[in-house]
Amino acid sequence: MAEPTNNQPTADTKSPLIAQSCEEIRAVASADELQTIQQIDALAETQDISLPFLRRLLEMPKDNAVKYLHAKAREAVEAVYGDKIFLRGLVEITSFCRNNCNYCGIRRSNNTLPRYRMTFDEIMACCQDGYKYGMRTFVLQGGEDMWWTDERLGDLVSQIRAEYPDCAITLSMGERSRESYQRLFDLGANRYLLRHETADEDHYHYLHPAEMSFQNRMQCLQALKEIGYQVGCGFMVGSPGQTPETIFKDLQFIRSFRPQMVGIGPFVATQHTPFADQPNGSVETTLRLLSTIRLLHPHVLLPSSTALGSLHPLGRELGVLAGANVLMPNLSPVENREKYNIYDNKICLGDGIEQCSDCLQLRMGSTGRRIVVERGDFVG
Ligand code: SAM
């Protein structure tokens, strides 16, 4: 086993996390809690939620009804995907970005950040490492870096497709033209992650500079779906200006768009951004929303985000116990990690994939789930 580091599991993280079943929680719930439990059952049954009930889920004390919400979400994910946890190997291919999102550490105006762009060979070496450690999906992520033309990105996708025919290729390179998305799909990319960030237009404009367009973001998501990608949308939890009403819109958007993946994680305040002094998003709210999303859309692939792990030592385990079924270990060279500083205090900055792999196996063991060597496609 690799040398332990700060992010490696401690004795605590190795012991099993207690996760009661729905039955067990029901048996000890109070009359009030049972009322909420009934509403959670109705949410799962109808796959719909009202704004007042969302508010209640977000605001209620951490009681048996919250435990039930998570247990119900675990039942839902296990009914579709069993005890499997899918890995996505993340390669952060460039930290250059033309955008200036108010929350993001790699925003264009952050001139304190040394920028990097990985070479083809470096990226291929990351895929090789990832494959060796059981990853069957590679996620190429970056800022919106125009050096990555369709031609260059297309060449990269073709090369990965040729060398790893059994793997899924996920792109997360921001907003591009429909033609670009089509070309990359034709060359072998299968999935695209593009968080919608918020489904409320006013909120979108609060989070982004005037030159960025809510309509364009939504059109990109639509185009990706029409082309045939497995698409991931998502949002930060606790982003400045977010309210139960904006979250309600996010959930309704997810219900109607039916993405194959939803990425949510807490907002993390980041230096050298306009939101540097804002409070971080809440881990507890993120967990409740993971469960809610799982119940609204039981087949969705739901990562337990690195941001969750960055704000809580057991964040990723708790995410899995709230209904998540995907982890995204970082395959990027360790020397790049600090430069891809989308948010502060990110975990695993110093862990190579060998350490990361051991660590995640142990962590997931404590949740009773199993990391598998599979592409982990959406089961529709
Ligand atoms: N450029 C691509 C895009 O726009 O989709 C991918 C890279 S972008 C940095 C990936 C995601 O990081 C964003 O969609 C955003 O939700 C998240 N992110 C950025 N800043 C963050 C912060 N301060 N806290 C938590 N998540 C953040």
Side-chain angles (χ1 to χ4, degrees), residues 332-365:
S332 306
V334 170
E335 60 272 19
N336 288 351
R337 305 262 179 104
E338 280 185 28
K339 299 183 202 151
Y340 196 78
N341 189 52
I342 57 180
Y343 55 82
D344 288 344
N345 304 316
K346 218 200 254 179
I347 48 167
C348 307
L349 289 183
D351 289 349
I353 187 58
E354 185 189 352
Q355 288 158 326
C356 215
S357 172
D358 286 345
C359 169
L360 289 178
Q361 293 284 354
L362 278 172
R363 287 178 179 276
M364 290 305 114

PDB file of all heavy atoms in Angstrom, residues 332-365:
ATOM      1  N   SER A 332      -4.580  14.038 -12.847  1.00  0.00           N
ATOM      2  CA  SER A 332      -3.664  15.089 -13.316  1.00  0.00           C
ATOM      3  C   SER A 332      -2.315  14.986 -12.612  1.00  0.00           C
ATOM      4  O   SER A 332      -2.261  14.595 -11.439  1.00  0.00           O
ATOM      5  CB  SER A 332      -4.244  16.476 -13.028  1.00  0.00           C
ATOM      6  OG  SER A 332      -5.527  16.580 -13.557  1.00  0.00           O
ATOM      7  N   PRO A 333      -1.223  15.356 -13.292  1.00  0.00           N
ATOM      8  CA  PRO A 333       0.087  15.347 -12.627  1.00  0.00           C
ATOM      9  C   PRO A 333       0.035  16.215 -11.364  1.00  0.00           C
ATOM     10  O   PRO A 333      -0.555  17.293 -11.374  1.00  0.00           O
ATOM     11  CB  PRO A 333       1.012  15.980 -13.674  1.00  0.00           C
ATOM     12  CG  PRO A 333       0.299  15.813 -14.976  1.00  0.00           C
ATOM     13  CD  PRO A 333      -1.160  15.813 -14.678  1.00  0.00           C
ATOM     14  N   VAL A 334       0.645  15.689 -10.288  1.00  0.00           N
ATOM     15  CA  VAL A 334       0.576  16.372  -8.993  1.00  0.00           C
ATOM     16  C   VAL A 334       1.063  17.823  -9.101  1.00  0.00           C
ATOM     17  O   VAL A 334       0.500  18.730  -8.477  1.00  0.00           O
ATOM     18  CB  VAL A 334       1.383  15.557  -7.951  1.00  0.00           C
ATOM     19  CG1 VAL A 334       1.563  16.320  -6.663  1.00  0.00           C
ATOM     20  CG2 VAL A 334       0.688  14.222  -7.686  1.00  0.00           C
ATOM     21  N   GLU A 335       2.077  18.056  -9.980  1.00  0.00           N
ATOM     22  CA  GLU A 335       2.633  19.424 -10.055  1.00  0.00           C
ATOM     23  C   GLU A 335       1.646  20.432 -10.656  1.00  0.00           C
ATOM     24  O   GLU A 335       1.821  21.641 -10.522  1.00  0.00           O
ATOM     25  CB  GLU A 335       3.981  19.443 -10.801  1.00  0.00           C
ATOM     26  CG  GLU A 335       3.957  18.943 -12.229  1.00  0.00           C
ATOM     27  CD  GLU A 335       4.162  17.420 -12.337  1.00  0.00           C
ATOM     28  OE1 GLU A 335       3.962  16.710 -11.335  1.00  0.00           O
ATOM     29  OE2 GLU A 335       4.518  16.960 -13.440  1.00  0.00           O
ATOM     30  N   ASN A 336       0.593  19.961 -11.307  1.00  0.00           N
ATOM     31  CA  ASN A 336      -0.402  20.893 -11.868  1.00  0.00           C
ATOM     32  C   ASN A 336      -1.526  21.227 -10.896  1.00  0.00           C
ATOM     33  O   ASN A 336      -2.258  22.192 -11.097  1.00  0.00           O
ATOM     34  CB  ASN A 336      -1.106  20.280 -13.091  1.00  0.00           C
ATOM     35  CG  ASN A 336      -0.208  20.198 -14.297  1.00  0.00           C
ATOM     36  OD1 ASN A 336       0.889  20.745 -14.298  1.00  0.00           O
ATOM     37  ND2 ASN A 336      -0.652  19.496 -15.317  1.00  0.00           N
ATOM     38  N   ARG A 337      -1.696  20.372  -9.910  1.00  0.00           N
ATOM     39  CA  ARG A 337      -2.935  20.420  -9.126  1.00  0.00           C
ATOM     40  C   ARG A 337      -3.234  21.796  -8.534  1.00  0.00           C
ATOM     41  O   ARG A 337      -4.373  22.258  -8.595  1.00  0.00           O
ATOM     42  CB  ARG A 337      -2.893  19.376  -7.998  1.00  0.00           C
ATOM     43  CG  ARG A 337      -2.621  17.962  -8.485  1.00  0.00           C
ATOM     44  CD  ARG A 337      -3.863  17.148  -8.628  1.00  0.00           C
ATOM     45  NE  ARG A 337      -3.538  15.816  -9.118  1.00  0.00           N
ATOM     46  CZ  ARG A 337      -3.520  14.707  -8.351  1.00  0.00           C
ATOM     47  NH1 ARG A 337      -3.819  14.793  -7.079  1.00  0.00           N
ATOM     48  NH2 ARG A 337      -3.216  13.537  -8.883  1.00  0.00           N
ATOM     49  N   GLU A 338      -2.186  22.405  -7.929  1.00  0.00           N
ATOM     50  CA  GLU A 338      -2.433  23.693  -7.268  1.00  0.00           C
ATOM     51  C   GLU A 338      -2.777  24.778  -8.273  1.00  0.00           C
ATOM     52  O   GLU A 338      -3.419  25.761  -7.942  1.00  0.00           O
ATOM     53  CB  GLU A 338      -1.216  24.112  -6.446  1.00  0.00           C
ATOM     54  CG  GLU A 338      -1.213  23.392  -5.132  1.00  0.00           C
ATOM     55  CD  GLU A 338      -0.094  23.840  -4.212  1.00  0.00           C
ATOM     56  OE1 GLU A 338       0.328  25.004  -4.333  1.00  0.00           O
ATOM     57  OE2 GLU A 338       0.348  23.010  -3.402  1.00  0.00           O
ATOM     58  N   LYS A 339      -2.350  24.568  -9.512  1.00  0.00           N
ATOM     59  CA  LYS A 339      -2.619  25.583 -10.530  1.00  0.00           C
ATOM     60  C   LYS A 339      -4.048  25.476 -11.053  1.00  0.00           C
ATOM     61  O   LYS A 339      -4.570  26.419 -11.618  1.00  0.00           O
ATOM     62  CB  LYS A 339      -1.624  25.449 -11.694  1.00  0.00           C
ATOM     63  CG  LYS A 339      -0.189  25.655 -11.262  1.00  0.00           C
ATOM     64  CD  LYS A 339       0.735  25.576 -12.464  1.00  0.00           C
ATOM     65  CE  LYS A 339       2.154  25.234 -12.058  1.00  0.00           C
ATOM     66  NZ  LYS A 339       2.871  24.503 -13.091  1.00  0.00           N
ATOM     67  N   TYR A 340      -4.658  24.301 -10.894  1.00  0.00           N
ATOM     68  CA  TYR A 340      -6.058  24.168 -11.316  1.00  0.00           C
ATOM     69  C   TYR A 340      -6.928  24.466 -10.092  1.00  0.00           C
ATOM     70  O   TYR A 340      -7.708  23.652  -9.621  1.00  0.00           O
ATOM     71  CB  TYR A 340      -6.336  22.770 -11.845  1.00  0.00           C
ATOM     72  CG  TYR A 340      -7.623  22.675 -12.654  1.00  0.00           C
ATOM     73  CD1 TYR A 340      -7.678  23.124 -13.965  1.00  0.00           C
ATOM     74  CD2 TYR A 340      -8.794  22.159 -12.095  1.00  0.00           C
ATOM     75  CE1 TYR A 340      -8.846  23.059 -14.698  1.00  0.00           C
ATOM     76  CE2 TYR A 340      -9.969  22.088 -12.829  1.00  0.00           C
ATOM     77  CZ  TYR A 340      -9.982  22.537 -14.121  1.00  0.00           C
ATOM     78  OH  TYR A 340     -11.154  22.478 -14.854  1.00  0.00           O
ATOM     79  N   ASN A 341      -6.767  25.694  -9.581  1.00  0.00           N
ATOM     80  CA  ASN A 341      -7.389  26.034  -8.301  1.00  0.00           C
ATOM     81  C   ASN A 341      -8.768  26.633  -8.527  1.00  0.00           C
ATOM     82  O   ASN A 341      -8.979  27.819  -8.322  1.00  0.00           O
ATOM     83  CB  ASN A 341      -6.473  27.016  -7.551  1.00  0.00           C
ATOM     84  CG  ASN A 341      -6.951  27.245  -6.148  1.00  0.00           C
ATOM     85  OD1 ASN A 341      -7.188  26.303  -5.401  1.00  0.00           O
ATOM     86  ND2 ASN A 341      -7.147  28.502  -5.787  1.00  0.00           N
ATOM     87  N   ILE A 342      -9.724  25.795  -8.945  1.00  0.00           N
ATOM     88  CA  ILE A 342     -11.065  26.368  -9.154  1.00  0.00           C
ATOM     89  C   ILE A 342     -11.652  26.814  -7.827  1.00  0.00           C
ATOM     90  O   ILE A 342     -12.397  27.753  -7.758  1.00  0.00           O
ATOM     91  CB  ILE A 342     -12.014  25.429  -9.945  1.00  0.00           C
ATOM     92  CG1 ILE A 342     -12.172  24.076  -9.286  1.00  0.00           C
ATOM     93  CG2 ILE A 342     -11.572  25.275 -11.378  1.00  0.00           C
ATOM     94  CD1 ILE A 342     -13.107  23.137 -10.062  1.00  0.00           C
ATOM     95  N   TYR A 343     -11.292  26.089  -6.740  1.00  0.00           N
ATOM     96  CA  TYR A 343     -11.682  26.562  -5.404  1.00  0.00           C
ATOM     97  C   TYR A 343     -10.563  26.242  -4.420  1.00  0.00           C
ATOM     98  O   TYR A 343      -9.727  25.369  -4.676  1.00  0.00           O
ATOM     99  CB  TYR A 343     -13.024  25.950  -4.951  1.00  0.00           C
ATOM    100  CG  TYR A 343     -13.070  24.444  -4.985  1.00  0.00           C
ATOM    101  CD1 TYR A 343     -12.549  23.674  -3.955  1.00  0.00           C
ATOM    102  CD2 TYR A 343     -13.656  23.787  -6.061  1.00  0.00           C
ATOM    103  CE1 TYR A 343     -12.595  22.293  -3.995  1.00  0.00           C
ATOM    104  CE2 TYR A 343     -13.703  22.402  -6.119  1.00  0.00           C
ATOM    105  CZ  TYR A 343     -13.169  21.669  -5.074  1.00  0.00           C
ATOM    106  OH  TYR A 343     -13.217  20.299  -5.131  1.00  0.00           O
ATOM    107  N   ASP A 344     -10.585  26.967  -3.283  1.00  0.00           N
ATOM    108  CA  ASP A 344      -9.496  26.841  -2.307  1.00  0.00           C
ATOM    109  C   ASP A 344      -9.631  25.561  -1.466  1.00  0.00           C
ATOM    110  O   ASP A 344     -10.728  25.025  -1.301  1.00  0.00           O
ATOM    111  CB  ASP A 344      -9.505  28.052  -1.363  1.00  0.00           C
ATOM    112  CG  ASP A 344      -9.037  29.318  -2.075  1.00  0.00           C
ATOM    113  OD1 ASP A 344      -8.429  29.191  -3.157  1.00  0.00           O
ATOM    114  OD2 ASP A 344      -9.298  30.414  -1.554  1.00  0.00           O
ATOM    115  N   ASN A 345      -8.504  25.137  -0.917  1.00  0.00           N
ATOM    116  CA  ASN A 345      -8.443  24.013   0.031  1.00  0.00           C
ATOM    117  C   ASN A 345      -8.945  22.696  -0.545  1.00  0.00           C
ATOM    118  O   ASN A 345      -9.542  21.879   0.158  1.00  0.00           O
ATOM    119  CB  ASN A 345      -9.227  24.347   1.328  1.00  0.00           C
ATOM    120  CG  ASN A 345      -8.711  25.616   1.960  1.00  0.00           C
ATOM    121  OD1 ASN A 345      -7.492  25.809   2.057  1.00  0.00           O
ATOM    122  ND2 ASN A 345      -9.610  26.493   2.341  1.00  0.00           N
ATOM    123  N   LYS A 346      -8.715  22.518  -1.841  1.00  0.00           N
ATOM    124  CA  LYS A 346      -9.099  21.261  -2.474  1.00  0.00           C
ATOM    125  C   LYS A 346      -8.264  20.119  -1.892  1.00  0.00           C
ATOM    126  O   LYS A 346      -7.064  20.291  -1.668  1.00  0.00           O
ATOM    127  CB  LYS A 346      -8.802  21.380  -3.980  1.00  0.00           C
ATOM    128  CG  LYS A 346      -9.847  20.720  -4.850  1.00  0.00           C
ATOM    129  CD  LYS A 346      -9.265  20.452  -6.205  1.00  0.00           C
ATOM    130  CE  LYS A 346      -9.749  21.369  -7.274  1.00  0.00           C
ATOM    131  NZ  LYS A 346      -9.126  21.055  -8.570  1.00  0.00           N
ATOM    132  N   ILE A 347      -8.899  18.974  -1.694  1.00  0.00           N
ATOM    133  CA  ILE A 347      -8.154  17.818  -1.168  1.00  0.00           C
ATOM    134  C   ILE A 347      -7.375  17.112  -2.282  1.00  0.00           C
ATOM    135  O   ILE A 347      -7.599  17.373  -3.458  1.00  0.00           O
ATOM    136  CB  ILE A 347      -9.096  16.777  -0.494  1.00  0.00           C
ATOM    137  CG1 ILE A 347     -10.294  16.473  -1.381  1.00  0.00           C
ATOM    138  CG2 ILE A 347      -9.457  17.206   0.889  1.00  0.00           C
ATOM    139  CD1 ILE A 347     -11.080  15.260  -0.933  1.00  0.00           C
ATOM    140  N   CYS A 348      -6.527  16.197  -1.863  1.00  0.00           N
ATOM    141  CA  CYS A 348      -5.784  15.287  -2.755  1.00  0.00           C
ATOM    142  C   CYS A 348      -4.802  16.026  -3.656  1.00  0.00           C
ATOM    143  O   CYS A 348      -4.467  15.514  -4.730  1.00  0.00           O
ATOM    144  CB  CYS A 348      -6.732  14.454  -3.624  1.00  0.00           C
ATOM    145  SG  CYS A 348      -7.986  13.574  -2.704  1.00  0.00           S
ATOM    146  N   LEU A 349      -4.345  17.219  -3.242  1.00  0.00           N
ATOM    147  CA  LEU A 349      -3.419  17.958  -4.104  1.00  0.00           C
ATOM    148  C   LEU A 349      -2.110  17.199  -4.283  1.00  0.00           C
ATOM    149  O   LEU A 349      -1.478  17.285  -5.326  1.00  0.00           O
ATOM    150  CB  LEU A 349      -3.149  19.354  -3.538  1.00  0.00           C
ATOM    151  CG  LEU A 349      -4.310  20.343  -3.615  1.00  0.00           C
ATOM    152  CD1 LEU A 349      -3.899  21.701  -3.095  1.00  0.00           C
ATOM    153  CD2 LEU A 349      -4.845  20.462  -5.033  1.00  0.00           C
ATOM    154  N   GLY A 350      -1.725  16.433  -3.240  1.00  0.00           N
ATOM    155  CA  GLY A 350      -0.419  15.776  -3.312  1.00  0.00           C
ATOM    156  C   GLY A 350      -0.500  14.286  -3.604  1.00  0.00           C
ATOM    157  O   GLY A 350       0.513  13.601  -3.626  1.00  0.00           O
ATOM    158  N   ASP A 351      -1.700  13.764  -3.791  1.00  0.00           N
ATOM    159  CA  ASP A 351      -1.846  12.314  -3.940  1.00  0.00           C
ATOM    160  C   ASP A 351      -1.824  11.883  -5.393  1.00  0.00           C
ATOM    161  O   ASP A 351      -2.676  12.284  -6.187  1.00  0.00           O
ATOM    162  CB  ASP A 351      -3.180  11.846  -3.337  1.00  0.00           C
ATOM    163  CG  ASP A 351      -3.186  11.928  -1.823  1.00  0.00           C
ATOM    164  OD1 ASP A 351      -2.103  12.136  -1.242  1.00  0.00           O
ATOM    165  OD2 ASP A 351      -4.265  11.792  -1.235  1.00  0.00           O
ATOM    166  N   GLY A 352      -0.872  11.037  -5.730  1.00  0.00           N
ATOM    167  CA  GLY A 352      -0.877  10.417  -7.056  1.00  0.00           C
ATOM    168  C   GLY A 352      -1.994   9.381  -7.100  1.00  0.00           C
ATOM    169  O   GLY A 352      -2.599   9.063  -6.068  1.00  0.00           O
ATOM    170  N   ILE A 353      -2.231   8.828  -8.280  1.00  0.00           N
ATOM    171  CA  ILE A 353      -3.384   7.942  -8.448  1.00  0.00           C
ATOM    172  C   ILE A 353      -3.253   6.661  -7.627  1.00  0.00           C
ATOM    173  O   ILE A 353      -4.254   6.103  -7.164  1.00  0.00           O
ATOM    174  CB  ILE A 353      -3.677   7.664  -9.943  1.00  0.00           C
ATOM    175  CG1 ILE A 353      -4.995   6.882 -10.097  1.00  0.00           C
ATOM    176  CG2 ILE A 353      -2.517   6.986 -10.639  1.00  0.00           C
ATOM    177  CD1 ILE A 353      -6.205   7.541  -9.522  1.00  0.00           C
ATOM    178  N   GLU A 354      -2.013   6.233  -7.371  1.00  0.00           N
ATOM    179  CA  GLU A 354      -1.856   4.999  -6.588  1.00  0.00           C
ATOM    180  C   GLU A 354      -2.397   5.202  -5.169  1.00  0.00           C
ATOM    181  O   GLU A 354      -3.184   4.393  -4.663  1.00  0.00           O
ATOM    182  CB  GLU A 354      -0.367   4.628  -6.554  1.00  0.00           C
ATOM    183  CG  GLU A 354      -0.117   3.313  -5.877  1.00  0.00           C
ATOM    184  CD  GLU A 354       1.372   3.047  -5.644  1.00  0.00           C
ATOM    185  OE1 GLU A 354       2.207   3.823  -6.142  1.00  0.00           O
ATOM    186  OE2 GLU A 354       1.673   2.075  -4.941  1.00  0.00           O
ATOM    187  N   GLN A 355      -1.976   6.345  -4.552  1.00  0.00           N
ATOM    188  CA  GLN A 355      -2.454   6.631  -3.200  1.00  0.00           C
ATOM    189  C   GLN A 355      -3.966   6.842  -3.200  1.00  0.00           C
ATOM    190  O   GLN A 355      -4.693   6.377  -2.325  1.00  0.00           O
ATOM    191  CB  GLN A 355      -1.783   7.903  -2.671  1.00  0.00           C
ATOM    192  CG  GLN A 355      -0.333   7.694  -2.328  1.00  0.00           C
ATOM    193  CD  GLN A 355       0.435   9.000  -2.337  1.00  0.00           C
ATOM    194  OE1 GLN A 355       0.148   9.902  -3.120  1.00  0.00           O
ATOM    195  NE2 GLN A 355       1.399   9.100  -1.448  1.00  0.00           N
ATOM    196  N   CYS A 356      -4.417   7.574  -4.212  1.00  0.00           N
ATOM    197  CA  CYS A 356      -5.824   7.918  -4.306  1.00  0.00           C
ATOM    198  C   CYS A 356      -6.685   6.659  -4.413  1.00  0.00           C
ATOM    199  O   CYS A 356      -7.739   6.546  -3.798  1.00  0.00           O
ATOM    200  CB  CYS A 356      -5.990   8.736  -5.577  1.00  0.00           C
ATOM    201  SG  CYS A 356      -7.200   9.969  -5.420  1.00  0.00           S
ATOM    202  N   SER A 357      -6.209   5.725  -5.209  1.00  0.00           N
ATOM    203  CA  SER A 357      -6.951   4.509  -5.455  1.00  0.00           C
ATOM    204  C   SER A 357      -7.086   3.695  -4.158  1.00  0.00           C
ATOM    205  O   SER A 357      -8.177   3.257  -3.796  1.00  0.00           O
ATOM    206  CB  SER A 357      -6.212   3.737  -6.548  1.00  0.00           C
ATOM    207  OG  SER A 357      -6.747   2.495  -6.715  1.00  0.00           O
ATOM    208  N   ASP A 358      -5.969   3.536  -3.431  1.00  0.00           N
ATOM    209  CA  ASP A 358      -6.015   2.813  -2.150  1.00  0.00           C
ATOM    210  C   ASP A 358      -6.964   3.503  -1.186  1.00  0.00           C
ATOM    211  O   ASP A 358      -7.763   2.873  -0.499  1.00  0.00           O
ATOM    212  CB  ASP A 358      -4.613   2.797  -1.504  1.00  0.00           C
ATOM    213  CG  ASP A 358      -3.675   1.841  -2.219  1.00  0.00           C
ATOM    214  OD1 ASP A 358      -4.170   1.009  -3.000  1.00  0.00           O
ATOM    215  OD2 ASP A 358      -2.450   1.943  -1.992  1.00  0.00           O
ATOM    216  N   CYS A 359      -6.834   4.830  -1.147  1.00  0.00           N
ATOM    217  CA  CYS A 359      -7.628   5.623  -0.199  1.00  0.00           C
ATOM    218  C   CYS A 359      -9.124   5.475  -0.491  1.00  0.00           C
ATOM    219  O   CYS A 359      -9.938   5.231   0.408  1.00  0.00           O
ATOM    220  CB  CYS A 359      -7.167   7.079  -0.305  1.00  0.00           C
ATOM    221  SG  CYS A 359      -8.201   8.269   0.517  1.00  0.00           S
ATOM    222  N   LEU A 360      -9.477   5.565  -1.758  1.00  0.00           N
ATOM    223  CA  LEU A 360     -10.903   5.488  -2.105  1.00  0.00           C
ATOM    224  C   LEU A 360     -11.469   4.096  -1.852  1.00  0.00           C
ATOM    225  O   LEU A 360     -12.617   3.956  -1.432  1.00  0.00           O
ATOM    226  CB  LEU A 360     -11.125   5.902  -3.569  1.00  0.00           C
ATOM    227  CG  LEU A 360     -10.932   7.393  -3.843  1.00  0.00           C
ATOM    228  CD1 LEU A 360     -11.134   7.695  -5.325  1.00  0.00           C
ATOM    229  CD2 LEU A 360     -11.886   8.248  -3.001  1.00  0.00           C
ATOM    230  N   GLN A 361     -10.644   3.066  -2.099  1.00  0.00           N
ATOM    231  CA  GLN A 361     -11.116   1.697  -1.824  1.00  0.00           C
ATOM    232  C   GLN A 361     -11.492   1.563  -0.351  1.00  0.00           C
ATOM    233  O   GLN A 361     -12.544   1.033  -0.012  1.00  0.00           O
ATOM    234  CB  GLN A 361     -10.003   0.659  -2.127  1.00  0.00           C
ATOM    235  CG  GLN A 361      -9.615   0.529  -3.581  1.00  0.00           C
ATOM    236  CD  GLN A 361     -10.637  -0.261  -4.410  1.00  0.00           C
ATOM    237  OE1 GLN A 361     -11.595  -0.803  -3.872  1.00  0.00           O
ATOM    238  NE2 GLN A 361     -10.435  -0.285  -5.716  1.00  0.00           N
ATOM    239  N   LEU A 362     -10.599   2.073   0.512  1.00  0.00           N
ATOM    240  CA  LEU A 362     -10.862   1.968   1.957  1.00  0.00           C
ATOM    241  C   LEU A 362     -12.084   2.784   2.358  1.00  0.00           C
ATOM    242  O   LEU A 362     -12.943   2.336   3.105  1.00  0.00           O
ATOM    243  CB  LEU A 362      -9.653   2.498   2.743  1.00  0.00           C
ATOM    244  CG  LEU A 362      -8.509   1.523   2.918  1.00  0.00           C
ATOM    245  CD1 LEU A 362      -7.316   2.242   3.531  1.00  0.00           C
ATOM    246  CD2 LEU A 362      -8.943   0.378   3.826  1.00  0.00           C
ATOM    247  N   ARG A 363     -12.125   3.995   1.804  1.00  0.00           N
ATOM    248  CA  ARG A 363     -13.249   4.882   2.161  1.00  0.00           C
ATOM    249  C   ARG A 363     -14.580   4.264   1.743  1.00  0.00           C
ATOM    250  O   ARG A 363     -15.546   4.270   2.501  1.00  0.00           O
ATOM    251  CB  ARG A 363     -13.078   6.249   1.502  1.00  0.00           C
ATOM    252  CG  ARG A 363     -11.992   7.093   2.139  1.00  0.00           C
ATOM    253  CD  ARG A 363     -11.839   8.411   1.407  1.00  0.00           C
ATOM    254  NE  ARG A 363     -10.824   9.236   2.032  1.00  0.00           N
ATOM    255  CZ  ARG A 363     -11.031  10.023   3.084  1.00  0.00           C
ATOM    256  NH1 ARG A 363     -12.219  10.111   3.620  1.00  0.00           N
ATOM    257  NH2 ARG A 363     -10.044  10.737   3.589  1.00  0.00           N
ATOM    258  N   MET A 364     -14.626   3.734   0.534  1.00  0.00           N
ATOM    259  CA  MET A 364     -15.887   3.178   0.056  1.00  0.00           C
ATOM    260  C   MET A 364     -16.240   1.892   0.802  1.00  0.00           C
ATOM    261  O   MET A 364     -17.409   1.597   1.020  1.00  0.00           O
ATOM    262  CB  MET A 364     -15.842   2.932  -1.457  1.00  0.00           C
ATOM    263  CG  MET A 364     -15.836   4.215  -2.254  1.00  0.00           C
ATOM    264  SD  MET A 364     -17.254   5.278  -1.831  1.00  0.00           S
ATOM    265  CE  MET A 364     -16.454   6.694  -1.065  1.00  0.00           C
ATOM    266  N   GLY A 365     -15.184   1.152   1.228  1.00  0.00           N
ATOM    267  CA  GLY A 365     -15.426  -0.047   2.033  1.00  0.00           C
ATOM    268  C   GLY A 365     -16.263   0.286   3.260  1.00  0.00           C
ATOM    269  O   GLY A 365     -17.154  -0.466   3.654  1.00  0.00           O
TER     270      GLY A 365
END
